[in-house]
Short mmCIF file of all heavy atoms in Angstrom, two decimals:
data_model
loop_
_atom_site.label_atom_id
_atom_site.label_comp_id
_atom_site.label_asym_id
_atom_site.label_seq_id
_atom_site.Cartn_x
_atom_site.Cartn_y
_atom_site.Cartn_z
N ALA M 238 -57.04 68.68 -45.83
CA ALA M 238 -56.91 67.37 -46.52
C ALA M 238 -57.29 67.42 -48.02
O ALA M 238 -56.51 66.92 -48.85
CB ALA M 238 -57.87 66.33 -45.82
N LYS M 239 -58.40 68.15 -48.28
CA LYS M 239 -58.81 68.21 -49.69
C LYS M 239 -57.97 69.18 -50.49
O LYS M 239 -57.67 68.89 -51.73
CB LYS M 239 -60.30 68.62 -49.78
CG LYS M 239 -61.15 67.48 -49.28
CD LYS M 239 -62.63 67.90 -49.23
CE LYS M 239 -63.47 66.79 -48.63
NZ LYS M 239 -64.93 67.12 -48.47
N TYR M 240 -57.44 70.23 -49.85
CA TYR M 240 -56.52 71.13 -50.61
C TYR M 240 -55.21 70.39 -50.94
O TYR M 240 -54.69 70.57 -52.02
CB TYR M 240 -56.29 72.43 -49.74
CG TYR M 240 -55.61 73.51 -50.51
CD1 TYR M 240 -56.34 74.46 -51.18
CD2 TYR M 240 -54.19 73.57 -50.48
CE1 TYR M 240 -55.71 75.48 -51.85
CE2 TYR M 240 -53.57 74.61 -51.20
CZ TYR M 240 -54.32 75.55 -51.89
OH TYR M 240 -53.68 76.53 -52.56
N TYR M 241 -54.70 69.72 -49.98
CA TYR M 241 -53.41 69.02 -50.14
C TYR M 241 -53.59 67.98 -51.33
O TYR M 241 -52.68 67.84 -52.14
CB TYR M 241 -52.93 68.37 -48.94
CG TYR M 241 -52.28 69.21 -47.88
CD1 TYR M 241 -52.76 70.46 -47.56
CD2 TYR M 241 -51.13 68.73 -47.20
CE1 TYR M 241 -52.17 71.28 -46.65
CE2 TYR M 241 -50.52 69.52 -46.20
CZ TYR M 241 -51.02 70.79 -45.91
OH TYR M 241 -50.42 71.54 -45.04
N MET M 242 -54.69 67.28 -51.26
CA MET M 242 -54.86 66.21 -52.28
C MET M 242 -55.25 66.84 -53.64
O MET M 242 -54.67 66.45 -54.71
CB MET M 242 -55.91 65.26 -51.82
CG MET M 242 -56.15 64.09 -52.76
SD MET M 242 -57.05 62.68 -51.96
CE MET M 242 -55.76 61.88 -51.07
N ASN M 243 -56.23 67.77 -53.71
CA ASN M 243 -56.89 68.15 -54.95
C ASN M 243 -56.08 69.33 -55.61
O ASN M 243 -56.03 69.36 -56.85
CB ASN M 243 -58.29 68.57 -54.71
CG ASN M 243 -59.15 67.43 -54.27
OD1 ASN M 243 -58.84 66.26 -54.52
ND2 ASN M 243 -60.23 67.77 -53.46
N GLU M 244 -55.47 70.22 -54.78
CA GLU M 244 -54.79 71.37 -55.32
C GLU M 244 -53.26 71.14 -55.43
O GLU M 244 -52.65 71.45 -56.47
CB GLU M 244 -55.06 72.60 -54.49
CG GLU M 244 -56.49 73.03 -54.47
CD GLU M 244 -56.94 73.50 -55.84
OE1 GLU M 244 -56.16 74.05 -56.63
OE2 GLU M 244 -58.18 73.24 -56.17
N MET M 245 -52.64 70.52 -54.37
CA MET M 245 -51.26 70.33 -54.38
C MET M 245 -50.82 69.04 -54.98
O MET M 245 -49.71 68.86 -55.53
CB MET M 245 -50.67 70.38 -52.95
CG MET M 245 -50.95 71.75 -52.25
SD MET M 245 -50.20 73.14 -53.19
CE MET M 245 -48.43 72.76 -53.03
N GLY M 246 -51.69 68.02 -55.02
CA GLY M 246 -51.40 66.73 -55.65
C GLY M 246 -50.81 65.66 -54.76
O GLY M 246 -50.30 64.66 -55.29
N PHE M 247 -50.88 65.86 -53.43
CA PHE M 247 -50.39 64.79 -52.54
C PHE M 247 -51.28 63.59 -52.63
O PHE M 247 -52.53 63.67 -52.94
CB PHE M 247 -50.44 65.31 -51.09
CG PHE M 247 -49.25 66.21 -50.74
CD1 PHE M 247 -49.50 67.63 -50.66
CD2 PHE M 247 -48.05 65.69 -50.50
CE1 PHE M 247 -48.44 68.43 -50.38
CE2 PHE M 247 -46.97 66.62 -50.21
CZ PHE M 247 -47.20 67.98 -50.15
N ASP M 248 -50.73 62.41 -52.46
CA ASP M 248 -51.45 61.14 -52.67
C ASP M 248 -51.74 60.42 -51.37
O ASP M 248 -52.42 59.36 -51.40
CB ASP M 248 -50.54 60.22 -53.53
CG ASP M 248 -50.23 60.81 -54.86
OD1 ASP M 248 -51.09 60.93 -55.69
OD2 ASP M 248 -49.02 61.21 -55.03
N GLY M 249 -51.26 60.90 -50.26
CA GLY M 249 -51.49 60.19 -48.98
C GLY M 249 -50.93 60.89 -47.81
O GLY M 249 -50.34 62.06 -47.93
N TRP M 250 -50.88 60.26 -46.66
CA TRP M 250 -50.64 60.99 -45.38
C TRP M 250 -49.72 60.17 -44.46
O TRP M 250 -49.82 59.00 -44.32
CB TRP M 250 -52.03 61.21 -44.66
CG TRP M 250 -53.12 61.52 -45.61
CD1 TRP M 250 -54.11 60.69 -46.11
CD2 TRP M 250 -53.31 62.74 -46.29
NE1 TRP M 250 -54.88 61.26 -47.02
CE2 TRP M 250 -54.45 62.60 -47.09
CE3 TRP M 250 -52.69 64.00 -46.25
CZ2 TRP M 250 -54.95 63.58 -47.99
CZ3 TRP M 250 -53.22 65.00 -47.03
CH2 TRP M 250 -54.32 64.76 -47.87
N ARG M 251 -48.85 60.90 -43.85
CA ARG M 251 -48.17 60.39 -42.68
C ARG M 251 -48.58 61.24 -41.46
O ARG M 251 -48.26 62.42 -41.48
CB ARG M 251 -46.62 60.47 -42.88
CG ARG M 251 -45.77 59.92 -41.73
CD ARG M 251 -45.40 61.06 -40.76
NE ARG M 251 -44.49 60.64 -39.70
CZ ARG M 251 -44.07 61.35 -38.63
NH1 ARG M 251 -44.51 62.59 -38.56
NH2 ARG M 251 -43.28 60.85 -37.74
N PHE M 252 -49.30 60.64 -40.55
CA PHE M 252 -49.88 61.42 -39.48
C PHE M 252 -48.84 61.49 -38.32
O PHE M 252 -48.49 60.45 -37.76
CB PHE M 252 -51.16 60.76 -38.94
CG PHE M 252 -52.32 60.97 -39.86
CD1 PHE M 252 -52.64 59.93 -40.77
CD2 PHE M 252 -53.11 62.11 -39.88
CE1 PHE M 252 -53.79 60.12 -41.63
CE2 PHE M 252 -54.17 62.28 -40.72
CZ PHE M 252 -54.51 61.29 -41.67
N ASP M 253 -48.44 62.63 -37.97
CA ASP M 253 -47.42 62.88 -36.95
C ASP M 253 -48.04 62.78 -35.57
O ASP M 253 -49.22 63.16 -35.32
CB ASP M 253 -46.94 64.29 -37.08
CG ASP M 253 -45.86 64.60 -36.02
OD1 ASP M 253 -44.74 64.05 -36.05
OD2 ASP M 253 -46.12 65.50 -35.18
N TYR M 254 -47.36 62.12 -34.65
CA TYR M 254 -47.67 62.04 -33.20
C TYR M 254 -49.15 61.81 -32.93
O TYR M 254 -49.86 62.67 -32.35
CB TYR M 254 -47.22 63.34 -32.54
CG TYR M 254 -47.30 63.24 -30.99
CD1 TYR M 254 -46.56 62.31 -30.29
CD2 TYR M 254 -48.20 64.06 -30.28
CE1 TYR M 254 -46.62 62.22 -28.93
CE2 TYR M 254 -48.26 63.95 -28.92
CZ TYR M 254 -47.46 63.03 -28.26
OH TYR M 254 -47.61 62.94 -26.88
N VAL M 255 -49.69 60.65 -33.34
CA VAL M 255 -51.12 60.41 -33.14
C VAL M 255 -51.51 60.11 -31.70
O VAL M 255 -52.72 59.97 -31.36
CB VAL M 255 -51.59 59.15 -33.99
CG1 VAL M 255 -51.39 59.52 -35.48
CG2 VAL M 255 -50.83 57.93 -33.65
N LEU M 256 -50.49 60.02 -30.78
CA LEU M 256 -50.88 59.90 -29.38
C LEU M 256 -51.48 61.18 -28.84
O LEU M 256 -52.10 61.20 -27.82
CB LEU M 256 -49.55 59.70 -28.54
CG LEU M 256 -48.94 58.32 -28.72
CD1 LEU M 256 -47.61 58.22 -28.04
CD2 LEU M 256 -49.84 57.20 -28.17
N GLY M 257 -51.37 62.26 -29.65
CA GLY M 257 -51.95 63.57 -29.21
C GLY M 257 -53.40 63.78 -29.57
O GLY M 257 -54.00 64.84 -29.28
N PHE M 258 -54.11 62.81 -30.23
CA PHE M 258 -55.41 62.88 -30.56
C PHE M 258 -56.05 61.49 -30.75
O PHE M 258 -55.27 60.53 -30.89
CB PHE M 258 -55.72 63.74 -31.75
CG PHE M 258 -54.90 63.43 -33.01
CD1 PHE M 258 -55.33 62.49 -33.90
CD2 PHE M 258 -53.66 64.04 -33.23
CE1 PHE M 258 -54.56 62.13 -34.99
CE2 PHE M 258 -52.86 63.78 -34.32
CZ PHE M 258 -53.37 62.82 -35.18
N GLU M 259 -57.36 61.34 -30.68
CA GLU M 259 -57.97 60.07 -30.70
C GLU M 259 -57.98 59.37 -32.08
O GLU M 259 -57.94 60.09 -33.13
CB GLU M 259 -59.40 60.17 -30.19
CG GLU M 259 -59.53 60.70 -28.77
CD GLU M 259 -59.72 62.21 -28.67
OE1 GLU M 259 -59.17 62.93 -29.51
OE2 GLU M 259 -60.33 62.63 -27.66
N PRO M 260 -57.99 58.09 -32.08
CA PRO M 260 -57.95 57.33 -33.35
C PRO M 260 -59.04 57.64 -34.34
O PRO M 260 -58.88 57.60 -35.56
CB PRO M 260 -58.02 55.83 -32.92
CG PRO M 260 -57.47 55.82 -31.54
CD PRO M 260 -57.93 57.15 -30.93
N TRP M 261 -60.24 58.06 -33.84
CA TRP M 261 -61.38 58.35 -34.68
C TRP M 261 -61.11 59.51 -35.66
O TRP M 261 -61.65 59.57 -36.71
CB TRP M 261 -62.67 58.62 -33.90
CG TRP M 261 -62.62 59.81 -33.01
CD1 TRP M 261 -62.35 59.92 -31.76
CD2 TRP M 261 -62.85 61.21 -33.44
NE1 TRP M 261 -62.38 61.19 -31.26
CE2 TRP M 261 -62.74 62.05 -32.30
CE3 TRP M 261 -63.17 61.82 -34.65
CZ2 TRP M 261 -62.90 63.35 -32.35
CZ3 TRP M 261 -63.27 63.27 -34.64
CH2 TRP M 261 -63.17 64.03 -33.56
N VAL M 262 -60.12 60.38 -35.32
CA VAL M 262 -59.76 61.49 -36.18
C VAL M 262 -59.14 60.93 -37.46
O VAL M 262 -59.52 61.37 -38.55
CB VAL M 262 -58.79 62.43 -35.41
CG1 VAL M 262 -58.33 63.47 -36.35
CG2 VAL M 262 -59.42 63.07 -34.26
N VAL M 263 -58.26 60.00 -37.33
CA VAL M 263 -57.64 59.46 -38.53
C VAL M 263 -58.67 58.63 -39.32
O VAL M 263 -58.71 58.75 -40.56
CB VAL M 263 -56.44 58.50 -38.08
CG1 VAL M 263 -55.96 57.68 -39.29
CG2 VAL M 263 -55.35 59.25 -37.42
N LYS M 264 -59.50 57.87 -38.65
CA LYS M 264 -60.55 57.14 -39.39
C LYS M 264 -61.46 58.05 -40.17
O LYS M 264 -61.75 57.85 -41.38
CB LYS M 264 -61.34 56.28 -38.42
CG LYS M 264 -62.37 55.42 -39.05
CD LYS M 264 -63.06 54.51 -37.99
CE LYS M 264 -64.07 53.57 -38.74
NZ LYS M 264 -64.71 52.68 -37.79
N GLU M 265 -61.94 59.14 -39.55
CA GLU M 265 -62.82 60.08 -40.28
C GLU M 265 -62.10 60.81 -41.40
O GLU M 265 -62.67 61.02 -42.51
CB GLU M 265 -63.38 61.12 -39.29
CG GLU M 265 -64.43 60.53 -38.34
CD GLU M 265 -65.38 61.57 -37.86
OE1 GLU M 265 -65.45 62.71 -38.34
OE2 GLU M 265 -66.18 61.24 -36.91
N TRP M 266 -60.89 61.20 -41.21
CA TRP M 266 -60.08 61.82 -42.25
C TRP M 266 -59.99 60.88 -43.50
O TRP M 266 -60.27 61.36 -44.62
CB TRP M 266 -58.69 62.13 -41.68
CG TRP M 266 -57.67 62.73 -42.60
CD1 TRP M 266 -57.21 62.24 -43.84
CD2 TRP M 266 -57.07 64.01 -42.50
NE1 TRP M 266 -56.28 63.07 -44.41
CE2 TRP M 266 -56.25 64.22 -43.55
CE3 TRP M 266 -57.14 65.02 -41.53
CZ2 TRP M 266 -55.42 65.39 -43.75
CZ3 TRP M 266 -56.32 66.13 -41.66
CH2 TRP M 266 -55.54 66.31 -42.73
#
Side-chain angles (χ1 to χ4, degrees):
K239 292 177 182 177
Y240 191 90
Y241 280 42
M242 183 168 279
N243 300 331
E244 296 296 326
M245 298 302 297
F247 284 102
D248 304 287
W250 324 100
R251 180 266 185 185
F252 289 96
D253 180 67
Y254 190 64
V255 296
L256 290 173
F258 49 90
E259 296 93 331
W261 63 263
V262 173
V263 172
K264 184 176 182 178
E265 287 204 12
W266 180 298

